[in-house]
Amino acid sequence: MTADAERPLRFNILGRLEGWSGDTRLRLGGMIQERVLVTLLLEPGKVLPVSRLVEAAWADDPPATASHQVRKAVADLRRRIPDGARVLVTDGPGYRAAVGERQLDLAAFDRHTREAKRAAGEGRPADAVEELRSALALWRGPVLSGTGGPVVEAAATALEERRLNAAEQLFELRLSLGEAAELVAGLRALVLQHPLRETLRSQLMLALYRSGRQAEALEEFSTVRELLVEELGIDPGAGLTRVYEGILRDSPELAAPEPPAPHTAAPAPVPPPADAPCTLPYDLADFTGRERELQVLLEFAAKSGGRGTRIVALDGMGGSGKTSLAVRAAHSLAGTYPDGQLHIDLRSYTPGEQPVTAGPALGSLLRALGLSGGRVPDDVAGRAALWRTALVGKRVLLLLDNAADAAVVRSLLPNSPGCLVLVTSRARLVELDGADWISVDVMTPEESATLVSETLAAGRVAAEPEAAAELARLCGYLPLALRIATARLRNRPRWTLQYLADRLRDETRRLDELSSGERSVAATLRLSYQVLDEDHRWAFRMLALHPGGNIDVHAAAALLGTGLRDAEDVLELLLDVHLVQQPEIGLYSFHDLVRSFTRSLRSDPSAEEETAAVERLLDYYLATTETACETLFPGRHRRPTGLPASTAELPRLTSTESAQAWFAREHTALLSAITTAERLAHDRHAVCLARNVVFELNSRGHLEEFRDIGRVAVTAARRLGDLSLLGVSLANLGVACWKLGLFAEGIEVAYESRDVAARLGDRATEAHSEGTLGLFKSLLGRFPEALTHLERAIGYERELGTPRAEAESLTVLSTLYEQWGRYEEAADAARRALDLGRRLGQHENELVALTDLAFAHLGLHAYDRARECLDAARSLCDEAREPGQVAMALALSAEVAHRLDRSDEASDHAARALLLIGSSASPLRRAKVKNMVGRLRQRQGLPEQALELHVDAYELAAALTYRAEEAYALAGMARAAAALGDLVAADEHTAAAEELFAEMGVPQDRRRG
């Protein structure tokens, strides 16, 4: 058996595209690959011509290379998919997807709906319901998550209609089986998404009517009638009108049929015997969502085996809806426990009250069973014994709400195996042996939308769907916050959803807004905070000073000034009481409303402690980024920070992989730390931390963030008045400006940086600034001036013994010589840079130097040598870090391959280069790559494509005053225009190009061919 046979292949297109080989998710490529694959999978087994795939990939404006790019995308997909040539089959003029029924979720959906139709026709409605549930469970969202383009979107629309038909059939069957109240939430969610769909609306009206909610059912008809008149100018259809009139008449035809006997472990509610005590709170009529948690709870409750009482416990942050969920489950299970359903609030989180202890709790429960006060013992042991004796042989459900002490809970547990105990607690009671635990998180966005719709008039939500979504997000999807917000809207009928969302957007007032009557998010969170001891309260406040993103144990230890073990213990305790969340192992975060709550805890007396904690965190980040940079960028010039060394324990970042992973994980936190440091006037930290972080931002191609952080550092350095740090910060900002094509700002800051460094005698920064000025002058076509700056920079760097900086300057010098047509000198500079980079083990500069050397060899017509360099360069490429540099190596590889008569290889490299360059943030590289591929297309006899690429390159280069590429773009446009017979345009472009080449001093026989 082959490895692929052991790992079955399957594709999911009912949502975001997914490909799986066993348990391994496949990387399927970019947008073009996804659209091509989805189009084929939408019609499995059918041959689709390339023209259809072009239409699917680009809609109305495909590029001239579209057919080739489709074939390239198919070839790429075949490489990515195990045994891909058997999956994507070339068949005559096109391609077809050869996938089996069990390899595609769409095929599974079709199979389930067919089986449902057959089961319904054979009088097996319960089986039909299960088939339709299985079919609808396959849907994860619209095909390609709404990004598939017009062709795929048209198919997705048709599939959405099939999904809705299946949903309507499912609700119809469930209504016929006697269900009603449990259907309301799901129907409301679909009606909210499709407010004009009359079948769904009539089913919702019927479910509401059969649930005893006649007024709401009639309100639904009024809402849809208004919508139909306003939107379409029509009245409701006959079917919907009949349901409406039947509800008005209280027609017996609309009465629910008798439900079949339950056959699952989670029975429908059955009224208990009249003499059975029931002290359960009322079940919310608008209880919404939590289907998964409710199902798990009912499954736990139904588990067989064991000799003792079954315990199911819910934990979650305050306001997450634990009690509502437990009450809903208790009412659902009431018929299974006919001897009583008892509830007691242990009040562990009730404002102004002490928690209920075991003695009073047992007394209350015994009295609920009908025992008079005189028969209830005074001591706890006597009450516990009587409680357990009274329940022998009984089936009783006990709901212990708001528990915080496992010992109290244990004292209330019956001995009878026929009993069930439900427990709710903000903290998981780990000492409670034998319990099945369910953690109740915040709601999903979809559940939140349904809750808002349920608790407000559906018409208000339908009128402002975007505001409703924003309101849910600002409430952090916390049920308590959502209910308070909608209660305020009900009490303020003139308020719009957007108005309240605008009020909530002010973070300083958000918790004040989320208060209504006795209910308050802040009060709920404060109770969780108050159960902590003083040390953990202090730790909670200090941890909340983290500027953003996730917190790991090292950052927490720095904030708290403790060791790693103690910091982890604190985080885990806060996790237990749900004051922090854990998005993944080892990382912790604050819910947005919890973070807002922490602001109310800050006071002037703690300002000194908070300042010290922030400084410890900044010291930690500075030390760790320094370590990571030493690993990733060997040979980097070290500079004193003027700050005390961090005393925090640092993570081990001794390998490239570990350092890159740390930077990626801490990306958001580091950017926030820099802006926070600048805002709080920790200027030296802001500048020094920014210097380290911009190295990584630059290497990963995050150029806008590089610029923004560079500007923050310059502002902080100016305020600090430290000229040395100002010079470094200006020099770094200059590099960001170069890569983004901001020449005017870049030259200004580079000159200022050089002058500051010269005044201080800071040769390292002066050399860096001279090199940056050389870059800008080179780009502007002022080659002699650029050469002077670069020679000066290289001389300083050699004198200082900074080989990393010297290697970078040599690559810039090589590029200058190549643009100038001085290819021998370009090759010499690139070789020197390559030698320095290899001695340092510096991967990214080696890639640049190899590409520069290949450019020089191409100019010298040494094509085999150029190919050797490019083979080595491509082996070092990492598309995830800087796609622009990789695209340039591929575009140059395409040109060299064409010179060596390797036409297929040239086409493949060129197509890949164009795909990658679109994701590069550098307009300089986009212009250069498009010119390179444009020249190749011209030599391939494709002047239309060449012209399109050169025009794009010209527009980019001219906007930036990137003179060399502007001239080469004009020259390419001239050749393409001449080939297309437009000799007037060709002459105009040639004249403009020659003028630029003359200004730069590039002789005709030394230009790129």
Side-chain angles (χ1 to χ4, degrees):
M1 182 178 288
T2 67
D4 288 340
E6 293 172 353
R7 298 194 301 168
L9 186 68
R10 66 187 189 281
F11 296 96
N12 299 326
I13 64 172
L14 301 178
R16 183 174 178 81
L17 175 63
E18 294 178 349
W20 295 86
S21 176
D23 295 329
T24 302
R25 184 165 179 177
L26 304 176
R27 297 181 63 183
L28 297 171
M31 180 184 68
I32 302 302
Q33 287 92 329
E34 285 196 349
R35 290 185 177 181
V36 167
L37 180 57
V38 166
T39 304
L40 290 166
L41 291 173
L42 282 167
E43 300 182 74
K46 182 177 179 181
V47 178
L48 300 185
V50 172
S51 58
R52 170 63 183 252
L53 299 176
V54 167
E55 184 184 3
W58 286 279
D60 298 328
D61 190 24
T65 60
S67 296
H68 174 75
Q69 289 195 44
V70 164
R71 293 187 178 92
K72 174 65 176 172
V74 172
D76 185 44
L77 285 165
R78 285 171 172 168
R79 286 194 295 270
R80 293 172 180 270
I81 298 170
D83 209 7
R86 292 179 180 270
V87 177
L88 301 181
V89 180
T90 303
D91 197 336
Y95 301 97
R96 61 182 171 86
V99 292
E101 189 177 79
R102 299 193 178 277
Q103 291 179 294
L104 182 63
D105 59 354
L106 176 57
F109 175 80
D110 291 339
R111 184 178 71 253
H112 285 303
T113 53
R114 285 196 307 270
E115 289 298 322
K117 183 177 181 181
R118 183 166 66 180
E122 294 173 354
R124 296 183 286 113
D127 292 339
V129 164
E130 292 308 312
E131 291 291 346
L132 288 169
R133 277 179 167 151
S134 298
L136 292 168
L138 295 167
W139 285 78
R140 298 166 293 112
V143 176
L144 266 191
S145 294
T147 60
V151 171
V152 175
E153 284 299 306
T157 301
L159 285 173
E160 174 66 7
E161 181 64 27
R162 291 169 61 188
R163 181 182 78 89
L164 288 173
N165 285 335
E168 288 172 347
Q169 293 167 28
L170 175 60
F171 285 121
E172 194 64 38
L173 285 165
R174 293 179 68 185
L175 284 166
S176 73
L177 291 170
E179 295 185 61
E182 52 268 69
L183 305 182
V184 171
L187 279 164
R188 276 207 194 280
L190 277 178
V191 165
L192 182 62
Q193 296 168 16
H194 305 278
L196 300 178
R197 201 167 179 99
E198 293 191 32
T199 300
L200 287 172
R201 188 78 67 164
S202 67
Q203 290 172 334
L204 174 58
M205 290 169 60
L206 194 55
L208 287 166
Y209 172 69
R210 291 179 178 177
S211 304
R213 298 158 69 177
Q214 183 178 7
E216 292 179 61
L218 295 173
E219 184 183 354
E220 288 296 329
F221 183 80
S222 300
T223 299
V224 71
R225 181 167 53 190
E226 291 175 9
L227 282 171
L228 288 168
V229 170
E230 291 176 5
E231 298 288 333
L232 305 177
I234 62 174
D235 290 321
L240 188 60
T241 303
R242 275 195 303 273
V243 173
Y244 168 67
E245 291 172 348
I247 294 172
L248 283 175
R249 296 194 312 271
D250 205 13
S251 171
E253 296 176 2
L254 299 185
E258 287 297 321
H263 60 276
T264 65
V270 176
D275 59 347
C278 179
T279 62
L280 294 177
Y282 75 95
D283 188 12
L284 291 176
D286 54 7
F287 180 88
T288 300
R290 302 301 193 194
E291 282 91 354
R292 183 189 65 81
E293 292 89 345
L294 182 58
Q295 183 62 35
V296 173
L297 193 160
L298 295 175
E299 288 173 359
F300 280 154
K303 280 167 62 175
S304 60
R307 298 180 179 178
T309 293
R310 179 156 301 287
I311 308 168
V312 182
L314 310 177
D315 68 301
M317 71 180 290
S320 61
K322 301 179 295 298
T323 298
S324 297
L325 175 58
V327 168
R328 168 55 59 101
H331 280 283
S332 298
L333 293 164
T336 309
Y337 298 93
D339 298 315
Q341 309 86 42
L342 305 179
H343 165 269
I344 185 166
D345 186 352
L346 296 176
R347 302 184 181 278
S348 299
Y349 302 95
T350 302
E353 295 194 33
Q354 292 297 314
V356 177
T357 57
L362 286 164
S364 176
L365 291 170
L366 287 167
R367 284 189 291 273
L369 289 179
L371 276 73
S372 61
R375 295 176 58 193
V376 176
D378 292 331
D379 63 304
V380 174
R383 291 183 177 189
L386 181 57
W387 164 247
R388 293 188 176 107
T389 301
L391 296 183
V392 170
K394 299 287 185 67
R395 294 183 62 79
V396 170
L397 183 150
L398 176 62
L399 171 51
L400 303 178
D401 200 11
N402 281 314
D405 187 340
V408 172
V409 173
R410 282 195 299 268
S411 69
L412 304 179
L413 295 179
N415 281 336
S416 174
C419 293
L420 171 69
V421 177
L422 304 180
V423 181
T424 73
S425 177
R426 295 193 187 181
R428 180 164 290 198
L429 307 179
V430 293
E431 303 93 344
L432 192 59
D433 296 333
D436 289 309
W437 282 94
I438 302 170
S439 284
V440 181
D441 203 348
V442 296
M443 284 182 149
T444 65
E446 294 76 20
E447 288 177 324
S448 300
T450 305
L451 177 58
V452 172
S453 180
E454 280 282 331
T455 50
L456 278 179
R460 293 181 73 178
V461 178
E464 297 182 87
E466 293 181 358
E470 184 183 14
L471 184 73
R473 181 183 61 79
L474 291 169
C475 288
Y477 308 115
L478 186 69
L480 174 62
L482 289 164
R483 286 187 176 275
I484 291 173
T486 54
R488 297 197 71 192
L489 287 167
R490 287 197 305 273
N491 292 333
R492 300 285 189 277
R494 294 185 180 277
W495 282 16
T496 64
L497 276 75
Q498 188 60 59
Y499 177 72
L500 181 55
D502 291 341
R503 292 171 69 100
L504 290 173
R505 206 176 293 119
D506 182 353
E507 201 169 345
T508 62
R509 293 181 52 192
R510 187 175 300 165
L511 290 181
D512 295 333
E513 297 290 343
L514 293 175
S515 178
S516 177
E518 295 182 355
R519 294 191 299 177
S520 163
V521 172
T524 298
L525 295 174
R526 186 173 295 280
L527 290 168
S528 295
Y529 171 73
Q530 287 175 341
V531 300
L532 302 174
D533 61 35
E534 188 53 47
D535 288 344
H536 285 97
R537 291 183 193 178
W538 177 86
F540 175 68
R541 296 195 301 270
M542 295 304 106
L543 289 170
L545 298 171
H546 191 273
N550 296 326
I551 310 172
D552 69 1
V553 174
H554 289 88
L559 275 165
L560 300 176
T562 66
L564 297 182
R565 182 68 62 83
D566 290 340
E568 185 177 29
D569 288 344
V570 168
L571 288 166
E572 287 294 316
L573 184 140
L574 294 176
L575 180 64
D576 286 341
V577 297
H578 294 277
L579 283 173
V580 298
Q581 300 169 318
Q582 189 171 57
E584 59 182 91
I585 293 175
L587 295 178
Y588 305 82
S589 63
F590 285 96
H591 185 277
D592 289 345
L593 295 180
V594 176
R595 189 177 287 279
S596 297
F597 168 69
T598 63
R599 291 186 173 86
S600 68
L601 302 175
R602 295 175 187 168
S603 59
D604 291 338
S606 63
E608 187 174 334
E609 286 183 329
E610 292 176 0
T611 299
V614 170
E615 287 181 352
R616 287 195 299 270
L617 180 67
L618 295 174
D619 287 342
Y620 159 74
Y621 276 137
L622 181 58
T624 309
T625 53
E626 192 76 34
T627 300
C629 285
E630 287 175 3
T631 300
L632 293 174
F633 311 108
R636 191 182 74 133
H637 181 64
R638 294 203 65 168
R639 290 180 172 276
T641 64
L643 292 165
S646 173
T647 59
E649 187 174 340
L650 307 184
R652 289 176 55 81
L653 305 177
T654 54
S655 68
T656 298
E657 292 75 17
S658 61
Q660 288 177 350
W662 184 86
F663 261 126
R665 189 177 68 243
E666 298 289 341
H667 181 91
T668 300
L670 290 169
L671 298 184
S672 298
I674 292 167
T675 54
T676 298
E678 191 270 335
R679 177 172 54 82
L680 298 177
H682 294 290
D683 293 323
R684 190 170 295 277
H685 284 98
V687 175
C688 296
L689 185 55
R691 175 179 180 258
N692 290 345
V693 172
V694 297
F695 268 83
E696 177 66 5
L697 294 176
N698 183 28
S699 72
R700 294 186 69 85
H702 298 307
L703 302 183
E704 287 85 2
E705 290 175 344
F706 181 6
R707 174 203 58 208
D708 294 344
I709 292 302
R711 288 172 176 169
V712 168
V714 167
T715 299
R718 289 192 195 284
R719 189 166 60 197
L720 190 63
D722 187 317
L723 291 180
S724 175
L725 292 179
L726 176 61
V728 172
S729 301
L730 287 165
N732 287 331
L733 178 57
V735 174
C737 291
W738 153 53
K739 292 204 168 184
L740 288 167
L742 305 173
F743 292 179
E745 181 182 359
I747 289 175
E748 180 182 345
V749 299
Y751 268 122
E752 184 182 359
S753 172
R754 186 195 65 174
D755 293 345
V756 167
R759 199 179 340 155
L760 293 172
D762 180 355
R763 272 295 165 82
T765 301
E766 188 177 357
H768 189 289
S769 303
E770 290 284 2
T772 304
L773 286 167
L775 267 172
F776 284 118
K777 301 293 179 66
S778 172
L779 295 167
L780 292 169
R782 292 150 59 177
F783 294 161
E785 293 177 53
L787 180 60
T788 300
H789 286 299
L790 288 169
E791 287 180 335
R792 193 176 295 147
I794 291 166
Y796 289 159
E797 287 154 355
R798 193 168 298 152
E799 173 189 319
L800 290 167
T802 52
R804 176 189 173 83
E806 182 184 351
E808 290 175 349
S809 296
L810 284 167
T811 60
V812 178
L813 179 62
S814 178
T815 300
L816 167 64
Y817 279 137
E818 189 274 336
Q819 291 178 143
W820 213 341
R822 295 164 62 169
Y823 299 118
E824 296 86 352
E825 291 157 293
D828 180 63
R831 287 191 194 96
R832 288 157 57 198
L834 184 59
D835 179 59
L836 287 171
R838 283 176 171 167
R839 274 192 271 161
L840 288 168
Q842 189 187 344
H843 166 97
E844 75 278 5
N845 204 66
E846 186 178 347
L847 168 60
V848 175
L850 283 166
T851 307
D852 287 339
L853 185 54
F855 267 114
H857 285 319
L858 180 63
L860 294 168
H861 309 295
Y863 304 133
D864 287 319
R865 289 185 179 180
R867 187 169 189 272
E868 290 173 7
C869 291
L870 290 166
D871 287 346
R874 290 197 308 277
S875 71
L876 299 173
C877 286
D878 180 355
E879 296 176 10
R881 292 186 68 78
E882 175 43 295
Q885 183 64 45
V886 179
M888 194 151 63
L890 287 167
L892 187 57
S893 297
E895 185 166 355
V896 171
H898 184 79
R899 302 272 188 179
L900 294 171
D901 296 324
R902 298 170 179 265
S903 56
D904 289 344
E905 184 180 326
S907 296
D908 288 349
H909 287 321
R912 187 67 186 155
L914 289 176
L915 282 173
L916 277 176
I917 198 59
S919 59
S920 172
S922 171
L924 307 173
R925 285 181 173 148
R926 292 203 299 274
K928 191 165 187 173
V929 167
K930 290 193 173 189
N931 266 338
M932 293 163 70
V933 179
R935 285 193 295 274
L936 174 64
R937 294 290 184 250
Q938 183 70 36
R939 286 195 295 275
Q940 290 174 326
L942 300 168
E944 298 92 343
Q945 296 178 29
L947 182 60
E948 180 184 349
L949 288 163
H950 286 307
V951 168
D952 287 349
Y954 175 75
E955 291 173 352
L956 286 165
L960 300 170
T961 60
Y962 185 4
R963 292 304 184 214
E965 294 307 321
E966 187 180 348
Y968 280 117
L970 285 165
M973 291 160 62
R975 287 192 295 270
L980 292 168
D982 190 348
L983 300 182
V984 174
D987 289 343
E988 290 176 355
H989 296 326
T990 298
E994 287 301 324
E995 183 178 347
L996 286 172
F997 281 127
E999 287 178 8
M1000 293 183 290
V1002 182
Q1004 192 163 13
D1005 63 343
R1006 285 284 178 162
R1007 298 174 194 167
R1008 300 172 197 153

